[in-house]
């Protein structure tokens, strides 16, 4: 009999969102008349803007003609998209990123897991707590942790709590770590990192020869002009950070799939014999070996996000979700809940009422109000007693959700 990767056996439960899906499906089949509103997984609900659809139609037509048909594209992405990203997402914000430092991919979830391929197993990893579970689970799978304890925390991982007590701002690790994940605007808490906080982490990384994995999948939701959208807006970040970006939440691509990762040239880590190794070349080697690029049609769609019409349409879609978040925040506060996030992010992070645990509140909300959210403890031990609601839904459903919660808590 062949051997399995035993590290998978250390994983605490099923991946959070399929686990919630399983519980909700069971509830729905036991209660077929319940009108369930899903504010759990952060999956977009608005259709793709017409500028993106038109670009994909044009690209589809090109694929049907001999003269314009394309087979394999460049694994790293077509120049037209890499150039548009560099100009619009970075140069325009005085962040120094060149097109050939951008690797187009099919998703940030995949990239944040895949990046571990190029890092040694002895690295010490720091994550915030609560945290997007992919960062933790992929490290468990790769054997960089020990077993989990009762609260779900894995040995060898360094956890940086982010709770109301520290205003959702993580402290620096109290020891030397090698790899450090930051996600801002934050999933799940919906809070942001100031320039000063990011600078503190960049300085820590420099002093400790650490690398920051910066997940900026929600940057388009930043409304406060003082908050950086990219870690490369911070001086020195090119020497210590890899950034992950996605069109999923920015432009409604959760089902379409397109994202990108920035690995600055000159960013380095060391080999077992102590030599400095260029990470851009190593990631390029990994990417070109294991990935064949995002389809031409989808990349043309992503390029259209940066066109004049595309930009306007995408902005109004983001504003629509942000207004949903504002309605949730206002309504939940009026119902007496303590609410965080939801201003620069599509997630609202609330304190569970009456001392309920996160899963107790999940069951209460599903059973009594037919509403689905995400239990904070599913994102980490420090998320216990919190609950996440996503603003990705129709206006009618968001308003209905507020009204059901208000009645429930009355
Ligand atoms: C979430 O709900 O946290 C996100 O949808 C997960 C993801 O983007 O993979």
């Amino acid at each position: 009999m062949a051997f399995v990767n035993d590290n998978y056996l250390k994983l605490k439960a099923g991946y959070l969102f399929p686990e919630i899906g399983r519980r909700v499906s069971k509830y729905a089949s036991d209660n077929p008349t319940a009108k369930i509103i899903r504010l759990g997984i952060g999956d977009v609900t608005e259709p793709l803007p017409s500028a993106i659809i038109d670009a994909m139609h044009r690209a589809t037509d090109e694929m049907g003609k001999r003269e314009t048909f394309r087979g394999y594209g460049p694994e790293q992405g077509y120049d037209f998209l890499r150039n548009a990203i560099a100009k619009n997402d970075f140069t325009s914000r005085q962040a120094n990123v060149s097109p050939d430092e951008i690797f187009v991919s099919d998703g940030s979830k995949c990239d944040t897991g895949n990046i571990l391929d190029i890092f040694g197993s002895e690295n010490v990893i720091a994550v915030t707590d609560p945290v997007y579970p992919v960062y933790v689970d992929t490290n468990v799978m790769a054997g960089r942790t020990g077993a989990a304890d009762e609260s779900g925390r894995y040995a060898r991982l360094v956890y940086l709590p982010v709770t109301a007590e520290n205003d959702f701002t993580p402290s620096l690790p109290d020891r030397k770590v090698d790899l450090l994940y930051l996600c801002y605007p934050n999933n799940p808490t919906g809070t942001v990192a100031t320039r000063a906080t990011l600078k503190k982490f960049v300085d820590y990384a420099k002093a400790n020869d650490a690398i920051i994995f910066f997940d900026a999948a929600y940057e388009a939701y930043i409304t406060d002009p003082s908050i950086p959208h990219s870690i490369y807006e911070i001086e020195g970040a090119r020497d210590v950070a890899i950034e992950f970006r996605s069109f999923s939440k920015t432009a409604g691509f959760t089902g379409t799939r397109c994202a990108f990762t920035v690995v600055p040239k000159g960013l380095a880590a060391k080999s077992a014999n102590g030599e400095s190794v260029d990470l851009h070349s190593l990631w390029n080697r990994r990417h070109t070996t294991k990935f064949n690029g995002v389809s031409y049609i989808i990349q043309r769609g992503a390029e259209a996000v940066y066109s004049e019409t595309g930009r306007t349409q995408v902005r109004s879609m983001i504003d629509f979700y942000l207004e949903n978040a504002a309605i949730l925040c206002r309504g939940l506060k009026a119902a007496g809940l303590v609410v965080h996030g939801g201003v620069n992010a599509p997630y609202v992070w609330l304190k569970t009422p009456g001392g309920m645990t996160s899963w107790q509140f999940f069951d209460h909300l599903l059973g009594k109000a037919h509403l689905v959210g995400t239990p904070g403890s599913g994102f980490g031990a420090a998320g216990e007693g919190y609950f996440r609601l996503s603003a990705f839904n129709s206006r009618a459903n968001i308003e209905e959700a507020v009204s059901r919660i208000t009645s429930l808590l009355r």
Side-chain angles (χ1 to χ4, degrees):
M1 203 181 259
F3 296 98
V4 297
N5 176 352
D6 271 40
N7 295 313
Y8 277 62
L9 309 180
K10 293 182 206 156
L11 291 164
K12 277 298 277 181
Y15 182 55
L16 179 61
F17 295 106
E19 176 64 20
I20 291 171
R22 197 186 56 72
R23 291 182 187 219
V24 175
S25 300
K26 162 120 188 38
Y27 183 83
S29 85
D30 293 347
N31 301 273
T33 54
K35 286 202 166 49
I36 297 174
I37 297 179
R38 291 173 166 79
L39 305 180
I41 189 164
D43 191 5
V44 294
T45 50
E46 290 297 291
L48 288 172
S50 64
I52 296 170
I53 292 293
D54 291 347
M56 293 200 290
H57 278 163
R58 284 193 299 273
T60 307
D61 289 341
E62 285 181 52
M63 294 298 270
K65 293 193 198 102
R66 183 167 303 281
E67 314 77 63
T68 45
F69 169 78
R70 294 170 191 245
Y72 290 128
E75 294 91 340
Q76 303 87 344
Y78 284 100
D79 282 346
F80 61 77
L81 181 55
R82 298 169 95 195
N83 289 335
I85 292 169
K87 178 165 168 256
N88 293 285
D89 283 329
F90 298 105
T91 312
S92 69
R93 294 192 176 277
Q94 279 74 54
N96 174 14
V97 169
S98 65
D100 60 358
E101 294 174 320
I102 293 164
F103 294 83
V104 176
S105 76
D106 60 349
S108 284
K109 174 168 154 180
C110 326
D111 281 356
T112 53
N114 291 336
I115 196 77
L116 295 173
D117 274 12
I118 65 167
F119 288 95
S121 56
E122 59 278 53
N123 283 304
V124 176
I125 318 284
V127 291
T128 59
D129 181 6
V131 70
Y132 179 42
V134 170
Y135 313 152
V136 171
D137 288 3
T138 53
N139 275 292
V140 176
M141 291 169 176
R144 286 194 188 82
T145 73
D149 66 14
E150 277 300 292
S151 70
R153 285 186 160 179
Y154 290 91
R156 282 190 64 207
L157 283 190
V158 176
Y159 290 91
L160 312 174
V162 279
T163 59
E165 285 67 44
N166 61 11
D167 204 15
F168 299 97
T169 304
S171 301
L172 292 173
D174 58 4
R175 67 202 90 158
K176 180 177 165 19
V177 303
D178 305 301
L179 302 174
L180 201 155
Y181 291 81
L182 292 177
C183 172
Y184 285 105
N186 186 250
N187 180 11
T189 64
T191 56
V192 284
T194 62
R195 192 170 283 278
T197 300
L198 292 183
K199 177 79 174 102
K200 187 178 80 173
F201 276 93
V202 166
D203 290 347
Y204 169 90
K206 281 202 159 193
N208 289 277
D209 278 334
I211 304 277
I212 297 172
F213 294 151
F214 190 73
D215 184 349
Y218 298 93
E219 61 77 31
Y221 291 82
I222 294 173
T223 52
D224 178 342
S226 72
I227 301 295
H229 289 234
S230 165
I231 195 151
Y232 303 120
E233 291 176 54
I234 308 299
E235 195 198 332
R238 280 184 57 88
D239 303 331
V240 293
I242 289 174
E243 182 164 305
F244 303 92
R245 289 277 189 107
S246 171
F247 292 96
S248 283
K249 314 298 158 79
T250 308
F253 274 54
T254 53
T256 310
R257 312 306 307 152
C258 195
F260 59 93
T261 289
V262 179
V263 186
K265 291 187 171 167
L267 180 65
K270 64 174 187 290
S271 67
N273 64 13
E275 272 170 28
S276 172
V277 179
D278 179 51
L279 291 173
H280 181 277
S281 318
L282 220 54
W283 179 245
N284 190 51
R285 183 70 173 83
R286 191 264 172 218
H287 195 74
T288 51
T289 305
K290 294 197 180 183
F291 189 61
N292 256 339
V294 172
S295 98
Y296 173 69
I297 298 165
I298 303 301
Q299 291 194 55
R300 279 296 185 196
E303 181 195 26
V305 170
Y306 302 104
S307 66
E308 212 181 311
T309 321
R311 219 193 298 253
T312 311
Q313 292 175 340
V314 159
R315 188 65 248 164
S316 86
M317 194 162 68
I318 290 165
D319 288 345
F320 171 80
Y321 291 130
L322 280 170
E323 181 56 22
N324 279 354
I327 292 169
L328 278 174
C329 286
R330 275 198 303 273
L332 301 182
K333 278 182 195 162
L337 290 169
V338 178
V339 173
H340 308 276
V343 175
N344 294 288
Y347 295 126
V348 174
W349 188 243
L350 56 98
K351 193 87 194 100
T352 55
M356 272 187 256
T357 66
S358 303
W359 277 108
Q360 279 168 348
F361 189 59
F362 174 88
D363 288 334
H364 187 61
L365 214 52
L366 179 59
K368 296 280 183 314
H370 303 154
L371 279 182
V372 181
T374 309
S377 56
F379 297 101
E384 182 56 276
Y386 287 95
F387 199 77
R388 193 192 79 174
L389 290 176
S390 148
F392 294 114
N393 217 308
S394 66
R395 184 60 46 80
N397 276 351
I398 293 289
E399 284 168 352
E400 173 65 17
V402 169
S403 128
R404 289 189 197 175
I405 293 178
T406 308
S407 311
L408 185 68
L409 298 179
R410 202 168 275 147

